[in-house]
Each structure stands twice: as C-alpha cells, then as structure tokens.
Amino acid sequence: MGFWNMLEVASMPILEVLIVSLIGAFLASHYSNLLPLHMLSSLNKLVFVVFSPCYIFASLVQTITLEDLISWWFMPLNILLTFVIGGILGWIVVKITRPKPHLEGLIIATCSAGNLGNLVIIIVPAICNETGTPFGDTNKCRSAALSYASFSMALGGFYIWTYTYHLIRTSSIKFKALEASQSQAQPQQEEITKTPNADLDGDHQTHLLTNTNKDNNDDDHHHHLDFIVSEINTTTTTTELEHISSLSSGSRVGQILHMIREELLAPPTIAVFVGLLFGATKWLKNLIIGPNAPLRVIQGSAQLLGDGTQPCITLLLGGNLIHGNKTSIKAKVLIGVICSRYILLPGIGILIVKGANQLGLLPSDPLFLYLLMLQFTLPPAMNISTMTQLFNVAQEECSLLFLWTYLLAAPALTIWSTIYISILSHH
C-alpha cells in the first residue's frame, strides 16, 4: 500500500469527525441556535445513559465469543498499557506545564485514553480493502477486523468509564471545592483589595473564579446528571475532603472502594459486563442473536439506539467548541499532549508489541499485531467530552484540545500506519 493510499484510508474517518463537528458548531452558533447549552447537556445525558450502553452491548454480543476472549487475552493488557503509559506521560505534561487544577485530569485523560471505538471500526476494516497489505484475503481480513475492532471498542469503553471517568470526576471535585472556598473567602478578599498592599495574584485568581461562577449560574442546573452526580456534589465540600484525608487507613480503603463502585455502576460500564456475559455464554447469545432467536428484537433495538452514539458525541464536540470560543489553553499544554499521543506513545507501542510477539505471547495474525500497535496511535477518546459535560468541568478546554488533536490525527495515523505495515510486511 502506497503512502497516498494510506493517507486516504487514515484521513477519511478523521474528516468525517471534523465535518460532523462543524455541523454541531453551526447548530450551536447564533445563526441556528438549535443546540444551546441546555440542549447540549440533555443530549449528553442521552448519550451517557442510553446511546453509548446500547452501542457497546450490541457490538459485543454480536461479535465476541468465549474462544475469542481466550485467544485475544493480550489485548486487554495492551490497552491497559496504553492507559498507564499515556497517563504517566500526561502526568509529566501536567508537572511541566502547571495548568489550572481543574485541567489536570483532562490533560492526563487526553494523553491516556485513545479513540478505541469508531476510528478503529472504520480504519482497521478499511485497511483490508487495500492491495499490497500483509493481511491476506480481503473477506477473511474484514471479518477478523470487525471482531478485533468490536472487542477493542468494548475494552476501551471499560477502561474509559472507570479510569478516565475517575480522572474527570476528580477534576470536578477539585474545581467545586476551590469554587466553594473562594466563594467563602470573597468578602475577605474584597476587604483586602481596599488596602494598597493587597495580594494582586490572589485578587486575580478570585476575579477569574467569580467570573466563571457568574457565567455558569444561569445554566448550572442543566449540567448535572441527578442520579449520578448529585452524590458527588453533596459529598465533596472542602470540609469533607479534609475529613477524608484524615481518615484511618481502613476508612480510606472503604472510601476508595465506594468511589470504585460508583464508577463501575456507570451505564456504559454495566453494558460492557452484560455484553461480555451474553457474548461469551452461548445459550444467552442464542436468545438474541440469529434470525430465529426468540429475543432478537432486543438486539435490534439496542443496535438502532447505539447507531446514534457517534453522531451525537461528535455534534456535542462541535457545539462545545462554539460555546467555548473565549477559552484558551497554553501552547505548551497542546504541544505536550500532541507529542505524548503522536510521537512517544506510538514509539513505545512498537517496542511493546514486537517484544510480546518475540516472546510468543501473540497470535500469528498480522492484523492483530497491527491493531495492537494502532491502539497506541489514536487521538483522544470522544467520551472524554461526554464526561466533561456530565461534571460541568473544562468543557471548552476539552473541545479546543480535541480540535487540534483531531486536525493532526490524519497525518499522524498515516505515517505510523505506513510504518506498522512496513514492519509487519517483513514479519
């Protein structure tokens, strides 16, 4: 496969994301005003509670078997490594750039969580249609590609809705605690500013926070998913955070387990477990899959609802960018995230996959190895945007980061895919 053919294959899904994002931006602009802030919030809740779980469940049940889970055992480990290594790189970016506290989780999330859903499902089968690849017969390649991509998407959903969900949730807690402390200190700050020796830096921070608080007051009630987020809002005041830090070791473990339980009960995470159960259990799978399955209407309904996931998430991305047109991110943060995602992670990924293959831990299928490498090269997961909306934290900054990372995704994916195919051709 030539460079230009590879560029076309890698660019198509990225262009689709950008086009739908532009439509979302137009719908949210004052020219259309079909997606105001409260509509974005409502649409986001539908994605979180309905569309995304159905998408994950329908894909898993249809493509995964128990035999696949056993033979593809390295893929969960590989995706875990992408999150861990990406998280470490994101942490380094945070330490170097020193962003505002509520942006730390977002930066680590964008460095660690790749788009293991729609991009993989589009790119990997498309590779099979090209001549000159080392992946063999086109039909067999496409069948295997869909199964690999669906499993990758499901595993990615599990890690995203646990690890990444925790990062964004923690950022929201920090932001709300800081807002609460600044709100309580505001009268004292006003007295201080009347004196000539006032702390200018403290006054500047207070001014920024109070402006942000004022801008968000009118739409604050639109940005909470009541049955999930209300507990966070009522249990994370500054006083209680200080109380948690003073707990004994046993109590801290209990608090951590409680937080993990909350994250595991997120609807997309539940969908992963249920989908794996039905896909790996033959008699359960036969109940809903197949032309004569008695409950096939369940699979059909889940698939119909799941088809709305990616368009809605992408429209939300464009809408958030329009509403966040006054935001800004330090250039060094953008450079750090881009270098982590498109330079360091892919290079590390090649070493990990080649090492695992030399140790005999991987199947002999070159397409499987290609997918493992590709998982280190993807732009940030679209669900990060969903989470920032759920917790009402850093939505605009998220959209700006996504704009730049997705603009650069096409050339990055093209270059690295060409390198991967070259490596596997000599495998």
Side-chain angles (χ1 to χ4, degrees):
M1 181 188 296
F3 176 82
W4 295 111
N5 288 338
M6 192 66 244
L7 177 63
E8 181 181 357
V9 171
S11 298
M12 286 303 106
I14 305 298
L15 289 175
E16 289 174 5
V17 169
L18 294 176
I19 289 170
V20 178
S21 296
L22 287 175
I23 294 173
F26 173 75
L27 294 176
S29 69
H30 67 275
Y31 296 105
S32 174
N33 203 31
L34 289 176
L35 282 178
L37 282 174
H38 69 276
M39 286 292 294
L40 287 174
S41 181
S42 298
L43 182 59
N44 193 75
K45 292 174 186 177
L46 278 175
V47 171
F48 178 64
V49 179
V50 180
F51 294 158
S52 186
C54 289
Y55 183 50
I56 292 172
F57 174 81
S59 299
L60 271 178
V61 172
Q62 191 166 5
T63 58
I64 300 302
T65 64
L66 181 60
E67 292 76 15
D68 293 336
L69 294 178
I70 295 172
S71 62
W72 302 343
W73 69 270
F74 189 81
M75 193 185 295
L77 177 59
N78 192 70
I79 296 176
L80 176 62
L81 290 173
T82 68
F83 275 76
V84 172
I85 297 170
I88 293 171
L89 294 175
W91 178 80
I92 294 172
V93 171
V94 166
K95 292 302 178 183
I96 293 174
T97 60
R98 299 187 179 278
K100 296 177 182 178
H102 71 284
L103 296 179
E104 293 178 359
L106 173 64
I107 293 169
I108 296 173
T110 52
C111 289
S112 60
N115 190 333
L116 296 163
N118 60 329
L119 286 186
V120 173
I121 287 177
I122 294 171
I123 291 174
V124 179
I127 291 290
C128 298
N129 296 330
E130 303 299 328
T131 57
T133 66
F135 305 133
D137 179 71
T138 299
N139 292 329
K140 291 181 179 179
C141 176
R142 284 187 61 84
S143 176
L146 287 172
S147 297
Y148 293 159
S150 296
F151 191 42
S152 172
M153 180 197 67
L155 292 170
F158 171 75
Y159 288 118
I160 288 167
W161 288 105
T162 49
Y163 172 74
T164 309
Y165 182 85
H166 172 73
L167 286 174
I168 303 300
R169 179 178 181 269
T170 303
S171 292
S172 175
I173 290 172
K174 289 180 180 178
F175 186 58
K176 288 178 172 61
L178 186 60
E179 273 191 327
S181 63
Q182 290 289 341
S183 177
Q184 292 171 1
Q186 184 178 354
Q188 298 177 0
Q189 291 288 350
E190 290 176 354
E191 290 297 325
I192 292 173
T193 56
K194 294 178 182 178
T195 66
N197 296 322
D199 184 353
L200 295 178
D201 184 64
D203 180 63
H204 178 63
Q205 291 180 4
T206 304
H207 176 68
L208 288 176
L209 286 168
T210 51
N211 279 349
T212 304
N213 201 27
K214 181 180 178 181
D215 291 338
N216 288 337
N217 276 342
D218 292 339
D219 296 297
D220 187 59
H221 66 283
H222 297 303
H223 294 282
H224 294 83
L225 186 60
D226 293 336
F227 66 93
I228 293 177
V229 185
S230 60
E231 185 174 348
I232 298 171
N233 293 336
T234 58
T235 60
T236 56
T237 63
T238 306
T239 303
E240 288 176 339
L241 287 171
E242 291 173 354
H243 170 68
I244 290 171
S245 65
S246 65
L247 292 175
S248 63
S249 299
S251 299
R252 286 184 183 178
V253 171
Q255 184 70 21
I256 292 170
L257 291 175
H258 175 70
M259 292 171 62
I260 292 173
R261 181 181 65 84
E262 284 184 352
E263 288 152 15
L264 290 178
L265 290 179
T269 309
I270 294 174
V272 171
F273 289 124
V274 177
L276 288 174
L277 176 64
F278 273 75
T281 309
K282 191 171 182 179
W283 69 270
L284 286 175
K285 187 169 188 171
N286 290 337
L287 288 177
I288 60 176
I289 299 296
N292 299 319
L295 301 177
R296 60 187 179 277
V297 67
I298 294 176
Q299 173 68 2
S301 300
Q303 219 159 13
L304 184 64
L305 289 169
D307 289 341
T309 304
Q310 300 303 331
C312 288
I313 289 177
T314 315
L315 287 173
L316 286 167
L317 178 64
N320 287 335
L321 188 61
I322 282 293
H323 287 298
N325 56 9
K326 294 182 180 179
T327 190
S328 63
I329 292 181
K330 295 178 182 178
K332 57 185 178 181
V333 172
L334 285 170
I335 294 171
V337 171
I338 290 167
C339 289
S340 298
R341 285 233 63 95
Y342 297 140
I343 297 177
L344 299 177
L345 262 179
I348 295 171
I350 291 176
L351 297 177
I352 290 174
V353 175
K354 288 190 70 175
N357 188 51
Q358 289 178 358
L359 293 173
L361 302 178
L362 304 179
S364 58
D365 185 2
L367 185 64
F368 187 79
L369 274 65
Y370 171 79
L371 175 60
L372 295 182
M373 293 180 183
L374 186 68
Q375 288 170 345
F376 286 89
T377 321
L378 299 164
M382 301 291 288
N383 284 323
I384 297 173
S385 175
T386 303
M387 295 172 194
T388 60
Q389 280 276 338
L390 284 176
F391 293 110
N392 190 24
V393 59
Q395 301 102 305
E396 296 85 4
E397 291 87 351
C398 176
S399 292
L400 194 58
L401 273 172
F402 272 46
L403 174 65
W404 286 104
T405 51
Y406 273 80
L407 282 173
L408 294 173
L413 282 170
T414 303
I415 292 169
W416 283 109
S417 290
T418 305
I419 293 172
Y420 298 155
I421 291 173
S422 175
I423 292 172
L424 294 172
S425 297
H426 298 90
H427 170 64

